[in-house]
Amino acid sequence: MEQVDLLTIGAGGGGYPAAFRLAKAGKQAVMVDTKGIMSGNCLEQGCVPSKTIREAIEVYRLAKKREYFGLKGDNIGFDYSKIIEFKDNVQKFRYEQHAKELEEAKKNLKLLKGVASFIDEHIVKITTENGEKIYNAKNIIIASGAEPSILPIDGAEYCITSTDLYILNTKIKTLPKSIAILGAGYIGVETASFFSELGVNVTIIQRSKRILTSMEERFALLLQNLLNPKIKLEFETEIKKVEKSNESSDYKVSYIKDGKLKTINAELVLMGTGRKPVTPEGIEKIGIELDAKGKIKIKNSIQTNIPHIYASGDVNGVQMLFHSAERQSLVCANNIFAGNTPIDYMNFNAVPTTVFTFPKAAYAGILPSKAASMGIDILETSYDFIVDSKAQIYNELNGEIREFFDAKTMKIIGAWVIGIDAELLIGELVTAIQNSLDVHTMASLPNQHPTSSEGIAKAARKLL
Ligand code: ADP
């Protein structure tokens, strides 16, 4: 039995940053992953491939606006199979980079291909292609991620998931004429937005009365109103079943709306009904506490109820974002260094979330409805992109920057950005939230002109 200081179950964002940190400090770490490669689902089938496709579509959008920029050129078009090739190449490029990083750290860090399961609180069994291996680990990080959750309806097997669309070497290399998307979470809405820009006939079928129900209502509705109007939004529905259509190779989705049974035909049906944690075998046997929904309970130190066992990233279900997982992983590392007496804590408020639609929408921190539930009075201010120099240069005038301050302290506690550069602007706002900057400091940020970041200070100045 091999002894190690740290074993991570999963080598994605929740696992590898801690493993590298410990290895750098001379500790022995091993990462176990069913894929046998580092970087988890984000690179294989999630954020990187989906955003790579998005960037190709962004270039296409700009190319279509060429005359606005005073440019010329005919035959602006796209070949979806080439976009997929581009996506696969970016994924391969990043895999090569990770392989180099792993090679450089190999003295203290190993990656093992296999499936991990708990024997007891320290002993983990790895089932590999060449048999079993047993590790005795001083500390363990469960970072086994999440997978698409599938509605228990008839015909669910006819649906694809985001994995099928975005995975490395996907079989879906041609664009469908039409797609029905079940669920209006961020994966469904992003995919709808991408495909509609490419001329696909898109319908979203959603149970509740708006998109992005896990996010702030005002934020979600602002974005909803800016999405491509060609996306058909069916709200307040109950999805009944998916069948093969009799007339064509399409699928038929049946759902109830306003008390009536409706159907829609589509070439592809995407199950976009969220993601659920994947947990390794044996966690219940060793007494790891789960919540009512089956997610591993964690403290802000990312520890489970067993102090040397951590649950980092998508598996704890708190914030299913790669960069959150990465920070959580480093919190684990710091607490392991401190002998599992916590010295570092995760601040989930200081993490940006971006929906990479057209336009993009990003938020962070405490937004009005949470502030209200916490009894915090807020003062808010905003800046419309219609008056912004960069937005005017690109003629992307929709959207806003909105900032929320604690009315007592006048410190920033939350923000959102919808529109141009949202995913970048939210970074500066997160830094402000993380450091509790007050309105005077925010108002005096001398951001580069002419960029969309100027609006961050301009919004704050309105409160002075
Ligand atoms: P996160 O971003 O939270 O780290 P990811 O989903 O990106 O999550 O990565 C989780 C990784 O864990 C995936 O590569 C998955 O294959 C792997 N994994 C899941 N369950 C096990 C298991 N029992 N043993 C080994 N690896 C696992």
Side-chain angles (χ1 to χ4, degrees):
M1 188 184 322
E2 214 173 302
Q3 313 268 335
V4 285
D5 295 299
L6 171 66
L7 182 140
T8 74
I9 301 177
Y16 77 79
F20 274 78
R21 187 70 195 87
L22 262 84
K24 190 175 165 190
K27 306 276 183 199
Q28 288 302 317
V30 63
M31 302 184 285
V32 185
D33 199 293
T34 48
K35 298 184 182 61
I37 35 177
M38 199 172 98
S39 69
N41 294 325
C42 167
L43 177 52
E44 192 204 42
Q45 52 179 267
C47 6
V48 172
S50 60
K51 270 83 245 185
T52 306
I53 291 177
R54 187 202 185 278
E55 289 314 301
I57 301 169
E58 182 77 77
V59 175
Y60 174 57
R61 280 181 77 239
L62 289 175
K64 282 199 291 184
K65 279 172 52 168
R66 61 198 177 283
E67 279 172 16
Y68 166 78
F69 293 106
L71 307 174
K72 277 172 113 180
D74 300 324
N75 302 325
I76 301 291
F78 66 87
D79 176 344
Y80 189 69
S81 70
K82 291 280 178 201
I83 296 179
I84 293 299
E85 209 176 293
F86 160 60
K87 167 196 86 70
D88 285 346
N89 286 339
V90 171
Q91 285 167 289
K92 286 176 199 155
F93 192 57
R94 290 194 63 71
Y95 277 128
E96 278 167 27
Q97 179 208 314
H98 287 317
K100 274 190 210 138
E101 287 162 0
L102 202 54
E103 179 62 24
E104 283 162 17
K106 73 174 176 201
K107 189 163 158 257
N108 300 319
L109 178 62
K110 226 179 0 196
L111 172 64
L112 198 65
K113 183 176 182 183
V115 182
S117 55
F118 281 96
I119 304 287
D120 70 23
E121 285 187 10
H122 284 281
I123 314 272
V124 177
K125 179 177 85 180
I126 320 295
T127 310
T128 74
E129 283 157 3
N130 312 313
E132 283 177 4
K133 219 170 152 31
I134 307 286
Y135 276 95
N136 183 345
K138 240 188 199 165
N139 304 286
I140 297 167
I141 299 178
I142 304 170
S144 40
E147 63 184 8
S149 66
I150 308 292
L151 279 183
I153 50 166
D154 282 348
E157 68 275 16
Y158 296 131
C159 301
I160 58 160
T161 66
S162 58
T163 305
D164 300 300
L165 282 178
Y166 300 124
I167 196 162
L168 180 68
N169 300 322
T170 171
K171 291 194 194 82
I172 304 174
K173 294 189 199 307
T174 49
L175 208 56
K177 285 195 183 60
S178 53
I179 187 166
I181 298 178
L182 313 186
Y186 80 94
I187 292 175
V189 174
E190 285 181 357
T191 305
S193 188
F194 302 169
F195 279 15
S196 65
E197 289 303 320
L198 297 178
V200 177
N201 194 341
V202 181
T203 308
I204 295 183
I205 307 169
Q206 161 76 336
R207 188 173 47 188
S208 38
K209 61 175 193 294
R210 65 169 169 98
I211 63 166
L212 305 172
T213 39
S214 66
M215 299 181 192
E216 183 78 6
E217 184 164 2
R218 271 172 65 198
F219 168 84
L221 290 178
L222 273 172
L223 174 63
Q224 188 174 303
N225 290 329
L226 294 177
L227 290 175
N228 189 336
K230 287 186 186 144
I231 300 172
K232 191 168 171 216
L233 294 165
E234 285 283 72
F235 291 128
E236 297 185 276
T237 65
E238 190 192 331
I239 299 164
K240 286 299 195 192
K241 60 180 172 187
V242 180
E243 300 162 281
K244 274 192 170 157
S245 158
N246 293 330
E247 305 92 56
S248 65
S249 58
D250 284 3
Y251 296 99
K252 186 166 96 179
V253 183
S254 305
Y255 58 98
I256 294 185
K257 185 169 161 72
D258 300 328
K260 290 187 201 99
L261 186 69
K262 292 182 81 175
T263 60
I264 138 166
N265 276 25
E267 205 177 314
L268 282 182
V269 182
L270 173 73
M271 186 70 79
T273 42
R275 291 178 72 78
K276 61 172 198 295
V278 172
T279 48
E281 240 182 79
I283 51 162
E284 283 169 66
K285 183 179 73 188
I286 63 167
I288 289 185
E289 285 174 11
L290 308 176
D291 71 8
K293 288 185 176 159
K295 294 177 188 159
I296 298 178
K297 277 198 206 167
I298 52 152
K299 306 181 169 78
N300 277 359
S301 57
I302 317 297
Q303 284 166 299
T304 65
N305 56 307
I306 302 175
H308 71 273
I309 303 181
Y310 296 74
S312 163
D314 289 3
V315 72
N316 64 40
V318 180
Q319 211 168 38
M320 293 199 185
L321 299 165
F322 175 84
H323 47 288
S324 179
E326 201 177 9
R327 167 69 191 133
Q328 290 175 47
S329 192
L330 292 171
V331 169
C332 300
N334 291 338
N335 291 330
I336 291 169
F337 284 131
N340 302 313
T341 306
I343 55 156
D344 197 6
Y345 300 92
M346 182 67 195
N347 177 1
F348 288 102
N349 284 329
V351 178
T353 297
T354 300
V355 187
F356 285 83
T357 37
F358 297 96
K360 287 176 263 206
Y363 70 90
I366 298 170
L367 301 181
S369 54
K370 186 157 173 212
S373 72
M374 294 167 79
I376 301 173
D377 283 334
I378 50 170
L379 267 183
E380 68 178 84
T381 182
S382 66
Y383 171 83
D384 289 330
F385 282 129
I386 200 161
V387 299
D388 184 73
S389 51
K390 166 99 182 269
Q392 289 171 356
I393 293 168
Y394 276 82
N395 195 25
E396 299 276 343
L397 303 173
N398 286 328
E400 62 173 29
I401 298 174
R402 193 165 287 269
E403 297 165 7
F404 302 95
F405 291 84
D406 180 327
K408 278 206 187 85
T409 60
M410 292 309 281
K411 291 180 174 180
I412 188 163
I413 55 167
W416 70 55
V417 184
I418 298 175
I420 193 161
D421 299 329
E423 81 287 22
L424 301 174
L425 300 184
I426 202 67
E428 181 171 330
L429 288 158
V430 163
T431 306
I433 294 164
Q434 192 169 21
N435 291 285
S436 302
L437 297 190
D438 66 20
V439 69
H440 293 100
T441 315
M442 293 296 296
S444 60
L445 294 171
N447 272 312
Q448 177 69 49
H449 179 68
T451 74
S452 47
S453 62
E454 290 168 277
I456 292 174
K458 284 184 179 167
R461 263 180 246 153
K462 289 186 188 170
L463 289 178
L464 298 178

